[in-house]
Amino acid sequence: MNTIANEVALNLDLDARQRFSETHPDTLDAMANLANTLHDHGDLTGALALQESVLEARHLIQGEEHFDTVIAKSNLALTLCEQGDYARALKLQESVLETSRRIRDAEHPLTLIAMNNLSGTLGAQGDLAEARALQESVLETRRRIQGAEHPDTLNAMNNLASTLHDLGDLSAAYVMEKSMLETLRRVQGEDHLQTLVGMNNFARTLSALGKLRKARTLQERVLEASYR
């Protein structure tokens, strides 16, 4: 362990193991928390080992469809994706999405999160068309249920616009990012983190379209806000 945070998390994990069995819910919670800490500090290998153990125990004790099992599966998939193991990540995320659709419904918030996570892995491995299809579905649902100005809707717009950019559809990305940024400025404010992320992404598209002066103006604005 290289940090105080890791040492504290490890002590909590060991304390839970000593007080409870390896499959006690408190032990599994402690292991999951430690895995999150390791992940946040860049120790993906350590996080992965714990997440695999947690998922195996959750499967055994709580079953395939339990909320904790689904979360454990989703967390493991995200770590696998970051390590470049897209095949395993996709398999887990497809299972999470199928379970969420079956025991909740297609428009449940957790289902939409599962769709978004899957689209991210698809995009990372280069399957941009499939990622786009999922992101379009997520965005349509969020607009209908949560409204055009909800932060989740704006995040969905940002994800889809980034995929459109990567697909080379710069015109569509430009229209979406311009609309998104106007809404972010009005709803979240000029200096909100989400606004600055949207501004930075819009600048990337402007640059790709050859609108270098406008791109530079936005990038300078983001940099100035970040310093401040």
Side-chain angles (χ1 to χ4, degrees):
M1 299 297 161
N2 297 320
T3 68
I4 294 175
N6 283 359
E7 291 175 2
V8 170
L10 179 58
N11 288 335
L12 289 173
D13 180 57
L14 292 175
D15 181 58
R17 290 180 190 231
Q18 290 169 357
R19 287 186 293 117
F20 305 110
S21 71
E22 290 286 337
T23 56
H24 190 283
D26 286 351
T27 306
L28 297 177
D29 287 344
M31 292 172 68
N33 290 338
L34 174 57
N36 290 336
T37 300
L38 293 173
H39 177 277
D40 292 343
H41 283 83
D43 185 358
L44 298 183
T45 300
L48 185 67
L50 280 172
Q51 288 170 338
E52 288 178 329
S53 296
V54 170
L55 178 57
E56 181 180 0
R58 299 261 192 227
H59 267 301
L60 179 66
I61 304 302
Q62 297 173 294
E64 176 76 19
E65 298 182 349
H66 192 280
F67 176 79
D68 289 342
T69 305
V70 173
I71 293 300
K73 191 179 294 186
S74 181
N75 289 341
L76 174 57
L78 290 175
T79 301
L80 287 168
C81 183
E82 290 185 57
Q83 288 194 318
D85 192 347
Y86 301 129
R88 287 185 65 197
L90 283 172
K91 185 176 180 180
L92 288 172
Q93 288 171 333
E94 287 168 350
S95 174
V96 168
L97 180 55
E98 188 277 330
T99 300
S100 189
R101 281 172 168 164
R102 186 177 67 253
I103 66 176
R104 295 175 181 89
D105 59 60
E107 298 181 348
H108 191 279
L110 291 179
T111 304
L112 296 177
I113 291 172
M115 291 173 69
N116 184 68
N117 290 345
L118 177 57
S119 75
T121 301
L122 288 167
Q125 72 164 13
D127 195 348
L128 297 175
E130 287 294 325
R132 175 180 180 173
L134 282 173
Q135 289 166 347
E136 287 175 338
S137 179
V138 170
L139 177 56
E140 186 278 329
T141 303
R142 290 206 182 279
R143 275 176 170 160
R144 178 162 39 81
I145 295 176
Q146 296 173 290
E149 298 183 350
H150 193 280
D152 290 342
T153 304
L154 296 170
N155 278 332
M157 289 180 70
N158 182 67
N159 292 338
L160 176 55
S162 294
T163 298
L164 290 169
H165 183 284
D166 293 340
L167 280 166
D169 193 348
L170 298 179
S171 296
Y174 173 87
V175 171
M176 184 162 290
E177 287 172 341
K178 185 174 185 292
S179 173
M180 178 186 66
L181 183 55
E182 289 171 352
T183 303
L184 283 168
R185 280 172 159 159
R186 185 177 67 256
V187 175
Q188 302 281 40
E190 186 76 13
D191 291 337
H192 192 278
L193 177 60
Q194 194 176 16
T195 304
L196 296 175
V197 170
M199 202 178 293
N200 189 66
N201 291 344
F202 188 37
R204 182 178 74 125
T205 298
L206 287 169
S207 180
L209 286 167
K211 301 177 184 293
L212 301 181
R213 184 173 296 179
K214 290 183 178 180
R216 176 177 176 175
T217 298
L218 284 177
Q219 289 165 338
E220 288 174 343
R221 176 71 186 83
V222 171
L223 183 59
E224 186 273 333
S226 298
Y227 279 137
R228 187 175 66 255

